[in-house]
Amino acid sequence: MRLSRYFLPVLKENPAEAQIVSHRYMLRAGMIKQQAAGIYSWLPLGFKVLKRIEQIVHEEQIRAGHIPLLMPTLQPADLWRESGRYDDYGQEMLRIKDRHERDMLFGPTNEEMITDIFRAHVNSYKELPLTLYHIQWKFRDEVRPRFGVMRGREFLMKDGYNFDLTKEDALHAYNRHMVSYLRTYERMGLTAIPMRAASGPIGGDNTHEFLVLASTGESEVFYDAKVPELKLGDRAVDYDNRAEVAAICEEFTTLYARTDETHDEAAFNAIPEERRKVGRGIEVGQIFYFGTKYSESMGATVVTAEGNRVPVEMGSHGIGVSRLLGALIEANHDDKGIIWPEGVTPFHCGIVNLKQGDAGTDAACEGLYKALVAAGLDPLYDDRDERAGAKFATMDLIGLPWRITVGPKGLGKGVVELTSRRTGESVEMSAEDAVARIVEIYAAHR
Ligand code: P5A
């Protein structure tokens, strides 16, 4: 993309309404525009990152054997009357009437609807196990929408639902989700810690939240300093191997890590003092096992091998896809702007032309741009007729991890400059070497 033709409405001033850094930078970098409290348009740069995150979530769900589908945002109230949640959900639910005066709602989650799909089409234990998921907009009329996309009213969630014959099978599905979530966050360059949590309106008594440590997080967290050091790395996981999946979950959940809702002072104090950490975290996902809570009330049953009809065992599992943008920025920024991890960056690298209109630098930039595109990468070329300082400020603000700077002086010596946004370190090299280096860096993030 050439910046002169792109739509990147950056703001020079800090927007007064933004209280935390991720909200401030998302507005300043022209990623989102607020349309109403907690409701945002996703401008091109923000939309690009959102799609990158969605793509990683899809890939990791499919790798775990889960099946994508798409349910609507609007739901009939009757489904929720069956489960008993229509009254329970309270004011957080946006209730709508259609022209026939029928009660509808904008879905805050989809347990009822997926259970309805299941009961319409599945009848035998032979069709289990089954895990279906979608990535769809949700609406929760939050009392205090704030911090931009972090606590929105309309937000994008990946929500998955497992259907199993036995409790053991459903617990394997729970564990599979835990491992697939760990992989998902790690691929984005995030450390998200699974913490024993409380289940709220979803139900059940087995639930973990995934928290990204950040001083601006809304949850208070208590954890062993060794927990954030745990990594899945590039281990190949066989999701059908129950023992292997369970062992990974055990590795990640045995040391102390809890939110304030489940905090146990005595257990916490049993950790050596120097490892006891109290901090704040952003909840970027939550998994639940709730057994037959919905299947029983809504009649989602299967016939077993013995010919008995039993309600299916279920759980639901969510990732805050749009919230992840905020969490990623809270975890990756400096005082000049965002620093995208390579896994989610909107463009792979920036090209800054220091002397737009100079035949030599223009040609060198065009050459670099075309070579990067030919290598399957997505560069952003700042070809505007602007001062170098303004170009650098824009690149720093929007946070592309790599920048190639091209000027007449360097070209005289046959070099361009490759700069890391994270370390600020610059290295001079030939244009060909710069392209090769960028290609090599992203080969690890395909
Ligand atoms: C699990 C999937 C559920 O709704 N039902 C389907 C279960 N879980 S949850 O914890 O309530 O939500 C899942 C994740 O969605 C994100 N989230 C939000 N993101 C932005 N703004 C909000 N107002 C908001 N509410 C929830 C969180 O990341 C949460 O973990």
Side-chain angles (χ1 to χ4, degrees):
M1 180 53 63
R2 290 174 164 78
L3 191 43
S4 64
R5 298 185 200 164
Y6 199 46
F7 182 65
L8 185 71
V10 299
L11 308 178
K12 292 228 162 54
E13 303 300 325
N14 272 329
E17 73 267 29
Q19 301 161 26
I20 61 170
V21 69
S22 56
H23 189 194
R24 193 151 63 232
Y25 284 155
M26 285 185 81
L27 291 169
R28 281 198 48 207
M31 297 176 68
I32 51 170
K33 179 183 184 306
Q34 184 175 310
Q35 306 293 169
I39 300 179
Y40 293 87
S41 285
W42 292 79
L43 304 182
L45 193 74
F47 185 58
K48 230 162 181 287
V49 180
L50 190 67
K51 288 285 152 189
R52 288 253 149 106
I53 291 175
E54 255 188 72
Q55 184 59 28
I56 292 177
V57 171
H58 271 301
E59 286 173 16
E60 294 305 329
Q61 286 311 296
I62 287 166
R63 196 195 301 275
H66 306 158
I67 305 169
L69 82 173
L70 186 61
M71 291 175 271
T73 52
L74 296 186
Q75 307 187 17
D78 281 346
L79 274 182
W80 290 66
R81 293 197 173 101
E82 285 189 55
S83 71
R85 282 207 296 181
Y86 191 63
D87 294 328
D88 290 357
Y89 228 92
Q91 290 202 298
E92 239 181 57
M93 179 183 278
L94 180 63
R95 295 156 205 260
I96 304 161
K97 272 198 198 299
D98 70 9
R99 61 161 71 189
H100 305 293
E101 292 289 304
R102 276 189 287 252
D103 292 325
M104 310 283 290
L105 57 101
F106 196 123
T109 175
N110 286 60
E111 279 80 6
E112 284 76 0
M113 190 169 276
I114 200 82
T115 306
D116 179 55
I117 293 173
F118 182 90
R119 69 181 173 187
H121 299 290
V122 182
N123 197 36
S124 161
Y125 77 97
K126 290 183 190 155
E127 291 170 75
L128 305 181
L130 180 65
T131 295
L132 301 168
Y133 79 92
H134 70 165
I135 298 181
Q136 177 63 293
W137 295 93
K138 305 288 186 283
F139 196 95
R140 292 183 185 173
D141 206 349
E142 301 275 354
V143 193
R144 283 220 296 158
R146 55 181 185 156
F147 301 158
V149 300
M150 205 79 101
R151 182 161 294 280
R153 291 199 296 165
E154 189 188 47
F155 61 97
L156 191 59
M157 190 202 288
K158 171 263 156 184
D159 41 324
Y161 306 85
N162 67 284
F163 299 92
D164 290 279
L165 184 59
T166 65
K167 180 171 182 185
E168 294 67 52
D169 295 351
L171 290 175
H172 173 55
Y174 184 90
N175 290 343
R176 219 171 45 229
H177 279 89
M178 183 178 291
V179 175
S180 72
Y181 282 22
L182 290 169
R183 271 190 80 118
T184 303
Y185 301 125
E186 261 187 42
R187 265 186 75 183
M188 294 176 192
L190 273 183
T191 302
I193 304 173
M195 299 194 184
R196 188 164 292 285
S199 70
I202 306 293
D205 46 26
N206 206 351
T207 177
H208 282 87
E209 284 179 3
F210 292 79
L211 287 113
V212 171
L213 298 175
S215 57
T216 48
E218 291 185 291
S219 319
E220 189 171 25
V221 296
F222 303 82
Y223 60 97
D224 185 322
K226 287 200 170 306
V227 181
E229 292 167 16
L230 298 170
K231 294 280 176 290
L232 263 184
D234 50 12
R235 281 183 237 190
V237 179
D238 174 359
Y239 281 105
D240 290 329
N241 184 331
R242 292 187 180 208
E244 182 185 340
V245 171
I248 296 174
C249 292
E250 202 178 298
E251 177 185 337
F252 279 82
T253 56
T254 301
L255 292 172
Y256 194 91
R258 295 196 182 192
T259 65
D260 48 4
E261 288 170 328
T262 53
H263 181 54
D264 172 348
E265 200 63 32
F268 188 57
N269 287 334
I271 309 172
E273 193 175 355
E274 68 281 6
R275 279 172 34 199
R276 254 177 257 159
K277 298 277 176 199
V278 181
R280 303 200 70 83
I282 303 166
E283 180 203 324
V284 292
Q286 186 163 5
I287 55 178
F288 302 83
Y289 161 72
F290 44 68
T292 57
K293 171 172 163 151
Y294 299 89
S295 56
E296 230 165 292
S297 57
M298 296 183 65
T301 58
V302 288
V303 177
T304 65
E306 295 75 34
N308 305 319
R309 197 165 261 293
V310 297
V312 280
E313 288 278 332
M314 290 175 64
S316 73
H317 316 276
I319 293 183
V321 175
S322 49
R323 176 178 286 182
L324 270 168
L325 274 97
L328 277 157
I329 297 173
E330 291 297 325
N332 299 281
H333 68 268
D334 62 13
D335 56 5
K336 292 189 217 136
I338 304 165
I339 308 174
W340 292 115
E342 274 90 352
V344 296
T345 182
F347 294 97
H348 294 112
C349 77
I351 302 171
V352 169
N353 185 339
L354 291 179
K355 201 168 181 200
Q356 204 70 45
D358 174 275
T361 49
D362 287 4
C365 288
E366 284 296 327
L368 269 169
Y369 182 77
K370 293 208 169 101
L372 287 161
V373 171
L377 294 171
D378 193 5
L380 180 67
Y381 170 24
D382 191 346
D383 60 344
R384 297 171 305 162
D385 192 11
E386 280 276 0
R387 289 175 303 110
K391 291 189 175 186
F392 289 145
T394 300
M395 283 295 174
D396 285 345
L397 175 63
I398 68 172
L400 309 185
W402 298 95
R403 185 185 81 208
I404 304 177
T405 310
V406 183
K409 225 200 231 158
L411 288 180
K413 297 187 288 180
V415 296
V416 298
E417 200 180 65
L418 179 64
T419 307
S420 155
R421 174 68 181 85
R422 197 170 284 278
T423 65
E425 220 177 303
S426 291
V427 186
E428 289 189 337
M429 59 182 80
S430 70
E432 295 73 39
D433 286 352
V435 172
R437 181 81 192 97
I438 301 279
V439 168
E440 181 185 279
I441 288 164
Y442 285 102
H445 294 275
R446 287 282 164 96

